[in-house]
Amino acid sequence: MAEATFRDLEQAGWTERAGAYDDHFGSVTEGAIEPLLSMLGDDLAELHLLDVCAGTGHLAAAAAARGAVVKGIDFAATMVALAKANHPGLDFAEGDAQALDQGDGAFDAVTCCFGLLHLADAEAAIAEAQRVLKPGGRFAFAAWQGPKGHDLSALVLPAIEAHGTFDVDLPPAPPIFRFGKPEVCEEILTVAGFADVETQTLSLSWQTPEPEDVLTMIRRSTVRTAMILDRQSPEARERIDARILEDARARQGDDGITLTFPALLVAATKA
Ligand SMILES: C[S@@+](CC[C@H](N)C(=O)[O-])C[C@H]1O[C@@H](n2cnc3c(N)ncnc32)[C@H](O)[C@@H]1O
């Protein structure tokens, strides 16, 4: 049997996580939706918008609430099913961000909220967004900044470094913080045929009363990190989890544990 590719593993991972996603990272990423939509313009009425990597559908629903005519696509069938269940009446379908089924110039806006960083070929997805946009159409996306300041990285990376290994049997992955740098986004978007690149930073956060929830969050709503942890020896895994818990407990304050995640929001116009 052929070896699983990065894309195969991501698809399997996200398909498994749809049910739990909103309890953890989905609730964090929701904070980016309104600011990202605002970067498309003040009036979204009748705007034809495609949301790629739509997950459980909340960005599409927020855009529809502002009057946009939306379509959401995601390559995980379970995410699409949940998006449809969460937002009946809206149009969600399975599809690959890197090879869209939609026709040239079909949309006024394309969004991708925390999706590009999970793609094997983000440039292909950006080229596809450009292709399906009308001239003058807007592309907006959100991505994480880090590893500095990204609290999940601050908990997980030192724990693996101290007690485990990053040298695990997985296909190479794209760097997850690549799109957190304004200058990198500007360059990639310009090469792809976009102009008027705008960026905005945003601090998102997640709070929990229980340190153990941090481990649950990692297991149930991350894909690549969970896969790296799953490939440690049982002894290493035990020590890594114990270290993450210890560091999470050290962050406990009156309001529980707060993890913050700096994000970059980017919007550009099809030239
Ligand atoms: C981190 S989640 C983001 C979901 C949602 N946009 C949000 O902001 O919460 C990434 C989503 O991208 C989807 N995804 C990853 N690679 C994809 C691809 N090549 N084509 C379509 N969807 C993809 C996953 O299934 C998952 O739902």
Side-chain angles (χ1 to χ4, degrees), residues 5-18 51-56 72-81 83 92-101 114-121 223 227:
T5 62
F6 171 81
R7 185 190 179 285
D8 297 335
L9 292 170
E10 287 284 310
Q11 191 172 26
W14 290 113
T15 301
E16 234 175 72
R17 280 159 182 76
D51 186 35
V52 301
C53 301
T56 51
I73 68 120
D74 199 286
F75 74 170
T78 50
M79 287 285 185
V80 173
F92 294 100
E94 281 176 58
D96 189 337
Q98 297 170 175
L100 295 173
D101 293 332
F114 300 103
L116 287 183
L117 55 142
H118 296 290
L119 302 179
D121 188 353
V223 170
M227 286 192 295

Side-chain angles (χ1 to χ4, degrees), residues 145-154 177 203-204 251 259-262:
Q145 293 190 306
K148 195 166 167 275
H150 188 279
D151 280 345
L152 205 60
S153 299
F177 296 115
S203 180
L204 297 173
R251 290 165 177 261
L259 300 185
T260 56
F261 309 100

Side-chain angles (χ1 to χ4, degrees), residues 54-145:
T56 51
H58 302 313
L59 183 142
R66 290 193 186 198
V69 180
V70 299
K71 178 162 189 92
I73 68 120
D74 199 286
F75 74 170
T78 50
M79 287 285 185
V80 173
L82 207 56
K84 286 180 175 170
N86 284 341
H87 307 292
L90 295 187
D91 184 4
F92 294 100
E94 281 176 58
D96 189 337
Q98 297 170 175
L100 295 173
D101 293 332
Q102 286 69 30
D104 296 2
F107 293 92
D108 304 298
V110 175
T111 50
C112 185
C113 197
F114 300 103
L116 287 183
L117 55 142
H118 296 290
L119 302 179
D121 188 353
E123 268 87 347
I126 293 169
E128 281 293 79
Q130 205 265 1
R131 180 182 65 76
V132 302
L133 277 172
K134 294 178 183 152
R138 296 278 279 166
F139 176 42
F141 66 86
W144 300 120
Q145 293 190 306

